[in-house]
Amino acid sequence: MNRPRSNKSHAGEHTTAGPPPCFPASLRFDLPASLVLFLLAVPLSLGVAAATGAPLISGLIAAVVGAIVAGLFGGTPLQVSGAATGLIVVTAGLVTKFGWAATAAITLAAGLVQIVLGVTRVARLALSLSPSVVHGMLAGIGISIALGQLVIVLGGHAHPTTLENLSELPAELHGSHFGSVVVGAVAVAVMLMWQRIPRTALVPAPLAAVLAATLTSIALRVDVSTVDLPDAPLADVILPKVPEGSVGAVALAVVSVALVASMESLLSAVAVDKLHDGPRANLDRELVAQGAANAVSGALGGLPVSGGIIRGSANVAAGARTRASTVLHGVWVLVFVVALGGLLDLIPLAALAGVLLVVGLRLVSRDRVRKLAQHGEIAPYLGTLAGVLAFGLVEGVLIGMAIAVLRSLYRLTHSTVRVDEEPDGWRVSIRGSLVFLGVGRLVRELRRIPLGKRVVLELHIDFMDHAAFEAVDDWRGGYQRLGGQVDVDEVHDTWFGKAIGGKPGLRKTPPSPLPRWFAPWSHWQRTRPGDASGVVLPTQRGDTDPMILGMHEFERNSAPLVRPFLAELAARGQRPQQLFITCADSRVVPNLITSSGPGDLFCVRNIGNLVPAHGADDSMGAAIEYAVEVLGVSTIAVCGHSHCGAMSALVNGSTRPGTSLHSWLHHADPSLIRFHEPSTTVGGDLPVVERLSIANVAQQLDNLLTHPAVREAVAADALRLTGMYFDISAARVYLVNPDRNALEPLRTPASR
């Protein structure tokens, strides 16, 4: 029987194969996007140049070079490069210390360093830096930018260091310039409110802010400083010259520019990747292109270049499809500077400062701080931020990295020890990593236990080194020699049990006993010394029932972990996504083979995973109707398995007539007929019982369609039917093709 097939695409899937669309085919998308980028790039580039103290033309040079060079050769087609906002503080310091011409030379040299880093394929190593340090660095840079631009908005002049700008704020607030404050406030207000105004997506907020602030200054006729480009801007470009100063200072400057520009570009590339479904980023190629752009920008007297999330996200939002939008926007900037540069002289510097003030503050992400705090990473973040503000970029990053390393060492060496007295002895629970640094405290706790008692040493550890193993084993041996009893209970991983005769701390031994969240009782339970491998578990009134012991284990270790999920499910009711029909065989565990948890599966289990036709069995019919009509499941899966006793009984005819089992297995007669059809293509290399199990799954899918609720939901494309087969001995799951009665391997999402 043919059954409906879903032709829906898999949301979020993409491929990196194949060439990108050619420029002409995508020009109807890329041309409008390039104009949006042009309108964004001009005010942003001028603002960065003004904030660093560099010639204003240098910002526009960086915009043109970044767009064309990095745009043509970069590994992230939709990333947009230009004057680096993350390097404002660094560049301002270099201009003050070395002068602009030498800063351009440093930019050129930094570009060459980036090319070397990209060629040696170390781009991904930059992403291994702790996110808390990276975001702390960006937040420090953002606050530094905001403080410097706030001074300009108040009518003053920004200083190269954050502390100087901070110390000047009281005086600037007292003697603030009315015109600059008004113009800057208008720019800030537009930046903050622009996204809330409907139908403004095609006009970038920085452009709207600069236009509004400029028109305000003209309307009020306030006396404010404005952009001062020369009449022939390209004729007054300042070319690079070799910096004067110590080799160490120059080398540090070059490395600082290269590393910060690289991190900003690579982080932006990864972020832009998440905004579209096109080709994925080639980070090494991107780093080489960024280096080439910086080398060219420095050689032409431009600012340092980097990719930016502000420009990249605007490019994606504007509908760009290829790198053509990036390249074209650089062409528009060049044409504008040459032909219409005089219009820029109308822009107040306070307007540009207001734009950058908001850009800087947005580098401090509250959501990011909240997530870092949830993961215990707030200390490196705050350390990096404070270090950048107080000492400088390089010093701040080093401080943050030092804090991150110390926290990692603490986590790697930290363990908790809890000693509890129980009715039949003592329990010592150890959690974390057990290494030599914590041995002293552990041994002190162990020696507090009275002699001659029964002790369960419960290990919830992810690592144990040789020193820790020897300390625990020595205590265990000594305690038992003095009349005590010690049982080691390894809950998750095995680092102690087999290490007694092996090499503890050098490599992890095979789990024995197996981690109990999936292992059978027989692998980890025993109730008397001398039983099979495992741990002596507490009993209740002498009860040694494995199920009772398993419930003790659940309440002690698993219940605290799943309680939040179960409490939520209890409050909102069950909303499973799947009806899972499988055999009652004890070796088939649905949650294990589907990696599901509470609330995911609505399970029905019976002998032979049978689905009697509509009207033949009220119990099965009620379950199906409840799942489809009340719970609204989107999938029904029928799962057969290898070594099935029900299928063996069908093949051998071993059930006694007149029994309930014999009567129930009559529902599998259509499966036998299907199995013997000449058209069947079940693999001949499988045993007869396994081939029948596969045909049985295919038949149950057909039986499901005899139920009106299923048939109507499938016809409405609201329900999908899936056949599965679990090979117990190989621990492998296959899909069942009902048209061929054949097995198909599971496919990963990327291969579909």
Side-chain angles (χ1 to χ4, degrees):
M1 178 183 294
N2 294 327
R3 91 188 12 83
R5 296 280 190 256
S6 174
N7 295 320
K8 293 180 180 179
S9 61
H10 299 279
E13 294 180 6
H14 55 266
T15 176
T16 58
C22 58
F23 281 13
S26 64
L27 205 57
R28 63 191 182 96
F29 302 104
D30 293 324
L31 182 59
S34 72
L35 295 174
V36 173
L37 290 178
F38 159 69
L39 297 176
L40 173 64
V42 171
L44 201 58
S45 303
L46 291 173
V48 173
T52 60
L56 295 180
I57 190 63
S58 65
L60 298 172
I61 292 173
V64 173
V65 173
I68 296 177
V69 176
L72 281 174
F73 304 109
T76 312
L78 298 185
Q79 170 149 279
V80 183
S81 300
T85 56
L87 275 165
I88 288 177
V89 177
V90 176
T91 307
L94 295 179
V95 172
T96 302
K97 185 174 183 179
F98 296 104
W100 170 245
T103 301
I106 290 172
T107 301
L108 191 159
L112 299 179
V113 171
Q114 286 182 286
I115 293 174
V116 172
L117 293 176
V119 170
T120 54
R121 306 181 71 82
V122 298
R124 291 188 180 274
L125 294 180
L127 299 181
S128 64
L129 188 64
S130 171
S132 60
V133 175
V134 172
H135 290 284
M137 177 194 71
L138 293 176
I141 290 172
I143 294 175
S144 299
I145 293 171
L147 286 173
Q149 300 312 299
L150 181 58
V151 171
I152 296 176
V153 168
L154 295 174
H157 299 280
H159 298 278
T161 69
T162 303
L163 295 180
E164 287 178 314
N165 286 321
L166 196 58
S167 64
E168 288 293 323
L169 272 182
E172 296 296 344
L173 286 170
H174 184 266
S176 58
H177 188 280
F178 173 76
S180 293
V181 171
V182 171
V183 171
V186 170
V188 169
V190 174
M191 284 287 291
L192 295 176
M193 301 298 296
W194 191 247
Q195 292 181 342
R196 301 181 183 181
I197 302 175
R199 300 181 181 179
T200 57
L202 292 179
V203 180
L207 175 66
V210 169
L211 284 175
T214 301
L215 293 175
T216 299
S217 69
I218 294 174
L220 298 180
R221 298 182 181 181
V222 293
D223 182 20
V224 292
S225 300
T226 61
V227 169
D228 185 17
L229 283 180
D231 294 334
L234 297 182
D236 291 336
V237 170
I238 301 176
L239 297 178
K241 71 174 184 178
V242 178
E244 296 178 359
S246 67
V247 175
V250 174
L252 180 61
V254 170
V255 172
S256 298
V257 172
L259 292 182
V260 176
S262 298
M263 282 191 289
E264 185 177 9
S265 298
L266 295 176
L267 291 172
S268 173
V270 173
V272 171
D273 254 8
K274 297 177 181 178
L275 301 178
H276 65 88
D277 294 327
R280 302 295 90 184
N282 182 328
L283 297 182
D284 293 309
R285 177 179 171 182
E286 180 67 23
L287 191 53
V288 172
Q290 292 293 333
N294 268 313
V296 174
S297 181
L300 296 178
L303 282 172
V305 170
S306 74
I309 186 60
I310 296 174
R311 292 178 290 256
S313 58
N315 192 31
V316 174
R321 298 293 179 87
T322 72
R323 62 183 75 241
S325 63
T326 302
V327 176
L328 285 174
H329 109 269
V331 174
W332 307 146
V333 174
L334 178 61
V335 171
F336 181 82
V337 171
V338 173
L340 301 171
L343 293 177
L344 299 178
D345 292 341
L346 299 175
I347 300 176
L349 294 179
L352 300 177
V355 169
L356 285 180
L357 190 155
V358 176
V359 170
L361 291 178
R362 283 176 176 168
L363 290 177
V364 186
S365 171
R366 289 180 297 177
D367 291 338
R368 178 60 58 180
V369 172
R370 190 180 302 112
K371 290 179 180 178
L372 290 174
Q374 291 172 351
H375 290 86
E377 296 288 340
I378 199 66
Y381 176 88
L382 294 177
T384 306
L385 189 156
V388 170
L389 294 178
F391 305 108
L393 187 70
V394 176
E395 294 87 347
V397 170
L398 292 176
I399 291 172
M401 290 177 63
I403 296 174
V405 169
L406 290 175
R407 281 195 56 79
S408 297
L409 289 175
Y410 173 78
R411 288 175 176 175
L412 288 174
T413 60
H414 183 66
S415 62
T416 60
V417 181
R418 179 176 175 178
V419 181
D420 296 308
E421 185 176 5
E422 296 183 339
D424 58 346
W426 292 75
R427 177 173 295 273
V428 181
S429 298
I430 306 173
R431 300 177 183 270
S433 299
L434 202 53
V435 298
F436 67 96
L437 292 175
V439 165
R441 181 167 58 90
L442 171 61
V443 172
R444 285 195 301 271
E445 294 291 337
L446 293 175
R447 288 176 177 172
R448 291 173 45 211
I449 300 174
L451 296 176
K453 302 294 184 180
R454 174 181 172 272
V455 180
V456 175
L457 196 62
E458 188 177 83
L459 302 181
H460 303 258
I461 59 174
D462 48 31
F463 179 76
M464 175 189 286
D465 70 1
H466 190 75
F469 165 75
E470 283 194 342
V472 174
D473 197 41
D474 288 346
W475 172 84
R476 176 174 174 263
Y479 192 84
Q480 292 187 146
R481 282 194 300 271
L482 296 174
Q485 174 190 336
V486 179
D487 294 288
V488 180
D489 180 13
E490 301 193 74
V491 177
H492 298 298
D493 270 323
T494 300
W495 292 92
F496 188 87
K498 286 198 173 182
I500 292 175
K503 296 180 178 180
L506 297 179
R507 63 184 177 87
K508 190 163 66 171
T509 57
S512 178
L514 295 171
R516 62 193 55 179
W517 57 270
F518 70 83
W521 289 328
S522 60
H523 279 253
W524 60 271
Q525 283 189 15
R526 63 186 172 100
T527 58
R528 298 184 309 277
D531 284 353
S533 63
V535 63
V536 177
L537 293 176
T539 60
Q540 190 175 50
R541 295 185 301 276
D543 199 339
T544 59
D545 186 336
M547 182 175 292
I548 299 297
L549 297 180
M551 289 190 287
H552 278 299
E553 173 65 19
F554 168 76
E555 290 193 346
R556 184 169 59 250
N557 290 315
S558 301
L561 300 177
V562 301
R563 189 171 290 119
F565 303 105
L566 295 178
E568 180 183 353
L569 290 171
R572 67 178 175 88
Q574 62 167 331
R575 300 175 185 175
Q577 303 176 33
Q578 316 264 342
L579 167 58
F580 197 84
I581 303 171
T582 191
C583 187
D585 193 296
S586 62
R587 298 165 295 178
V588 180
V589 185
N591 293 111
L592 178 64
I593 64 177
T594 60
S595 297
S596 55
D600 291 333
L601 302 180
F602 183 70
C603 289
V604 175
R605 306 185 67 160
N606 60 45
I607 302 297
N609 47 270
L610 301 180
V611 182
H614 177 61
D617 183 78
D618 288 341
S619 176
M620 197 68 197
I624 293 172
E625 290 175 4
Y626 185 78
V628 175
E629 297 179 348
V630 179
L631 298 178
V633 298
S634 59
T635 302
I636 299 180
V638 178
C639 181
H641 65 93
S642 65
H643 308 87
C644 181
M647 297 302 106
S648 295
L650 284 174
V651 171
N652 301 325
S654 56
T655 58
R656 287 186 297 110
T659 63
S660 297
L661 179 60
H662 184 82
S663 176
W664 171 255
L665 288 181
H666 268 307
H667 292 301
D669 288 345
S671 299
L672 283 170
I673 296 172
R674 187 188 193 105
F675 173 70
H676 289 293
E677 287 178 352
S679 60
T680 185
T681 59
V682 176
D685 56 335
L686 294 174
V688 172
V689 171
E690 313 309 338
R691 292 159 56 196
L692 177 58
S693 295
I694 298 169
N696 179 59
V697 170
Q699 181 60 43
Q700 306 317 310
L701 295 177
D702 284 352
N703 289 354
L704 277 169
L705 290 173
T706 66
H707 292 259
V710 174
R711 188 168 57 249
E712 293 170 7
V714 169
D717 204 22
L719 182 66
R720 182 176 61 180
L721 306 183
T722 300
M724 297 168 54
Y725 175 83
F726 178 49
D727 186 336
I728 295 175
S729 59
R732 188 171 181 183
V733 183
Y734 297 87
L735 297 179
V736 174
N737 185 321
D739 295 327
R740 300 190 300 112
N741 301 334
L743 298 181
E744 295 180 350
L746 287 175
R747 295 174 295 174
T748 60
S751 65
R752 288 177 182 171

